[in-house]
Amino acid sequence: MMHRIFVFSLLALFFTSCDKGTDVTDIDPMDVIAVISSCSANQTIRNIYLEDAHRLAMREINTNNGSIYQDSINIYPELVNDILRALLAVHNGTQMVHRDSVIAVYGIHSFPDPVLNQMIVEVDTSFSWVSQWKNSNQYTGNQYIDNLLDDYDLRFQSYDEWPIGNYVTLRSEQFLNIDALAEEFTAIPGVKGAQKDAVSGDGNDISYSHNTTVGFKELIYSVGY
């Protein structure tokens, strides 16, 4: 069950042009007051919200079926940066009525769906290169697979023999469009299938929307039980 309690709407007039050192006017629709904030921060603070920004960007891309970025393994950086600035504006908005609840009390981040850095690959054990993963080695000797591992900073995590098949878990330090990456793996002989890892249950979340017609961006912070 999700109980939505905090809403921040950010004016696109100020927000889309927000560069380092620029202030952004935020209107908290729960209280109908304008608050001046900033969408710049040092790298330590930015790192806190990088995963959220990539995930919200990926959700935006997935809801737009015609997006050319659905097939891109690297998540559209301009959209990521735009959303990151919105998240930083909330972080910096110390005068916002609900800011402390969102940041300090509940520590709200995006629920980890979609997963951005872990995938599961089903392998065909009749291919000799699979034995390298079975022996817990990072590299397989298969040029195409090993190139993908290097290109996207993928690290071998585990090899599991289940009744339904043999699976390898890979994890990256990057935030990626795992669906697009999985297609690259699936095209390789010896790979039966690939998909992003999944999470279940419920929890805190952030949703993002950008209404270009009305002219504002909206972040909704929710507490999940």
Side-chain angles (χ1 to χ4, degrees):
M1 176 180 69
M2 298 296 285
H3 177 49
R4 293 182 175 179
I5 54 177
F6 308 116
V7 180
F8 298 96
S9 297
L10 306 177
L11 296 178
L13 174 64
F14 298 96
F15 214 73
T16 55
S17 61
C18 183
D19 297 316
K20 184 177 181 180
T22 304
D23 288 335
V24 56
T25 300
D26 171 81
I27 295 180
D28 181 349
M30 300 291 287
D31 301 275
V32 197
I33 58 174
V35 177
I36 301 299
S37 184
S38 170
C39 46
S40 63
N42 62 43
Q43 193 58 50
T44 299
I45 299 300
R46 290 170 64 88
N47 288 343
I48 295 173
Y49 299 101
L50 276 178
E51 182 171 357
D52 296 322
H54 282 83
R55 178 167 292 111
L56 297 180
M58 197 66 249
R59 290 178 186 174
E60 280 289 290
I61 292 169
N62 286 338
T63 57
N64 183 357
N65 293 327
S67 173
I68 61 174
Y69 299 104
Q70 282 185 314
D71 296 327
S72 173
I73 297 173
N74 293 306
I75 303 172
Y76 183 30
E78 290 185 19
L79 179 57
V80 171
N81 289 332
D82 198 38
I83 295 173
L84 178 60
R85 288 192 291 267
L87 295 167
L88 292 175
V90 174
H91 178 92
N92 294 329
T94 55
Q95 300 304 310
M96 295 179 187
V97 174
H98 299 301
R99 183 267 183 194
D100 286 348
S101 295
V102 167
I103 304 299
V105 177
Y106 293 100
I108 298 176
H109 287 279
S110 58
F111 188 72
D113 181 26
V115 172
L116 302 175
N117 59 358
Q118 189 156 298
M119 65 184 301
I120 299 173
V121 180
E122 183 180 7
V123 294
D124 183 343
T125 56
S126 68
F127 285 75
S128 60
W129 59 263
V130 175
S131 63
Q132 296 298 320
W133 272 348
K134 189 173 182 178
N135 292 326
S136 300
N137 294 321
Q138 164 71 10
Y139 292 107
T140 65
N142 182 305
Q143 179 182 350
Y144 298 104
I145 289 181
D146 293 347
N147 285 345
L148 287 173
L149 298 179
D150 285 339
D151 290 345
Y152 298 103
D153 197 20
L154 291 163
R155 293 292 175 262
F156 173 89
Q157 297 295 299
S158 65
Y159 180 94
D160 298 289
E161 296 179 331
W162 296 332
I164 58 173
N166 299 280
Y167 295 85
V168 172
T169 300
L170 302 173
R171 185 176 178 84
S172 176
E173 292 303 315
Q174 301 180 39
F175 300 121
L176 304 167
N177 179 355
I178 301 296
D179 286 336
L181 181 58
E183 291 185 5
E184 296 290 323
F185 274 90
T186 302
I188 298 172
V191 174
K192 290 186 174 182
Q195 64 184 52
K196 61 178 176 286
D197 206 349
V199 295
S200 60
D202 204 348
N204 295 349
D205 199 13
I206 306 172
S207 64
Y208 167 87
S209 62
H210 182 189
N211 190 319
T212 55
T213 302
V214 178
F216 67 86
K217 300 170 186 176
E218 183 177 68
L219 291 169
I220 299 178
Y221 292 77
S222 55
V223 176
Y225 300 89

